[in-house]
């Protein structure tokens, strides 16, 4: 009887390890799709997202055209002049361009020596801090585990070692998972 009970518990926990991550992933995707679809309230499911994707693609196309590009630059200069809007807009734009722009920032994974026997994984976001008169410092972003936030530290260059043998996406997944995800060599 005890053998069957232990097997039952083992199978149950294996099922939890499979079902919970899958269910939460599906739930988050459905919530995101419903939220995005609800931004443009149209009674046809999915049409709001399609209109939004089409609009964003069209704006991207216009922003890249030789004729309309100066208009977008003038609009951004106008945005930069509004005090509070300037901070919010530039912060969001810089963060978005770090992930999808031409100037991707989270592509150089590093290990930083914090003290003897203690190190932390992060990403170089600025290699040259001479504008701060700190030639020996680099800017390192340390994402938090189980969260989509992080901290930025300026650390001595000699405490930073670039990790060339792993993909930056694997390092981000490793950090966000609290070190539970496996790392694969490039």
């Amino acid at each position: 009887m005890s053998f069957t009970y232990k097997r039952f518990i083992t199978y149950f926990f294996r099922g939890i390890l499979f079902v919970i991550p899958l269910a939460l992933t599906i739930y988050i995707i459905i919530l995101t799709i419903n939220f995005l679809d609800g931004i443009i309230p149209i009674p046809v499911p999915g049409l709001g997202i399609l209109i939004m994707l089409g609009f964003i693609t069209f704006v991207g196309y216009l922003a890249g055209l030789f004729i309309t590009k100066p208009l977008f630059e003038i609009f951004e200069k106008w945005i930069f002049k509004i005090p509070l809007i300037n901070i919010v807009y530039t912060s969001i734009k810089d963060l978005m361009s770090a992930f999808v722009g031409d100037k991707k920032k989270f592509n150089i994974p590093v290990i930083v020596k914090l003290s003897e026997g203690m190190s932390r994984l992060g990403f170089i976001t600025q290699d040259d801090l001479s504008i701060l008169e700190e030639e020996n410092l680099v800017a390192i972003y340390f994402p938090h585990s189980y969260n989509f936030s992080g901290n930025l530290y300026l650390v001595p260059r000699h405490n930073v070692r670039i990790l060339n043998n792993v993909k930056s996406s694997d390092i981000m997944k490793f950090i966000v998972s609290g070190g539970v995800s496996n790392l694969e060599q490039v």
Side-chain angles (χ1 to χ4, degrees):
M1 186 85 161
S2 172
F3 177 73
T4 309
Y5 176 73
K6 286 180 182 178
R7 262 188 166 169
F8 178 78
I9 295 296
T10 302
Y11 293 153
F12 177 75
F13 283 119
R14 276 191 202 155
I16 282 179
L17 286 174
F18 180 75
V19 170
I20 298 294
L22 182 64
L24 284 175
T25 301
I26 291 170
Y27 180 70
I28 290 170
I29 290 170
I30 289 171
L31 280 178
T32 304
I33 289 172
N34 286 338
F35 171 75
L36 292 174
D37 198 33
I39 290 175
I40 302 173
I42 296 176
V44 179
L47 190 57
I49 292 176
L50 288 176
I51 291 172
M52 197 177 343
L53 289 174
F55 176 75
I56 291 170
T57 304
F58 181 67
V59 169
Y61 171 73
L62 288 178
L65 285 177
F66 178 70
I67 298 169
T68 54
K69 192 172 184 175
L71 295 174
F72 282 90
E73 290 171 359
I74 290 169
F75 177 74
E76 277 196 332
K77 285 180 186 176
W78 180 74
I79 292 280
F80 292 155
K81 291 180 182 180
I82 305 170
L84 186 59
I85 304 285
N86 172 19
I87 294 170
V88 173
Y89 178 79
T90 55
S91 297
I92 292 171
K93 182 173 181 178
D94 289 345
L95 182 64
M96 294 299 294
S97 66
F99 286 105
V100 296
D102 296 332
K103 302 181 236 174
K104 291 182 182 160
K105 293 289 183 181
F106 301 118
N107 57 353
I108 305 173
V110 295
I111 188 165
V112 177
K113 181 179 178 182
L114 300 176
S115 64
E116 195 59 42
M118 184 179 286
S119 300
R120 189 160 182 191
L121 294 170
F123 298 90
I124 293 179
T125 55
Q126 293 289 330
D127 191 28
D128 182 13
L129 296 175
S130 57
I131 193 153
L132 300 175
E133 298 178 5
E134 295 291 348
E135 288 79 19
N136 294 326
L137 296 180
V138 293
I140 307 291
Y141 177 74
F142 294 109
H144 290 146
S145 297
Y146 297 107
N147 204 345
F148 292 102
S149 64
N151 294 313
L152 176 71
Y153 291 94
L154 306 180
V155 298
R157 191 178 301 276
H158 66 274
N159 283 359
V160 177
R161 182 169 50 96
I162 295 176
L163 301 171
N164 294 316
N165 58 340
V166 291
K167 294 189 290 190
S168 58
S169 59
D170 284 348
I171 290 292
M172 182 66 87
K173 186 169 58 170
F174 183 76
I175 294 169
V176 170
S177 73
V180 177
S181 293
N182 291 330
L183 292 171
E184 297 177 18
Q185 236 176 352
V186 177

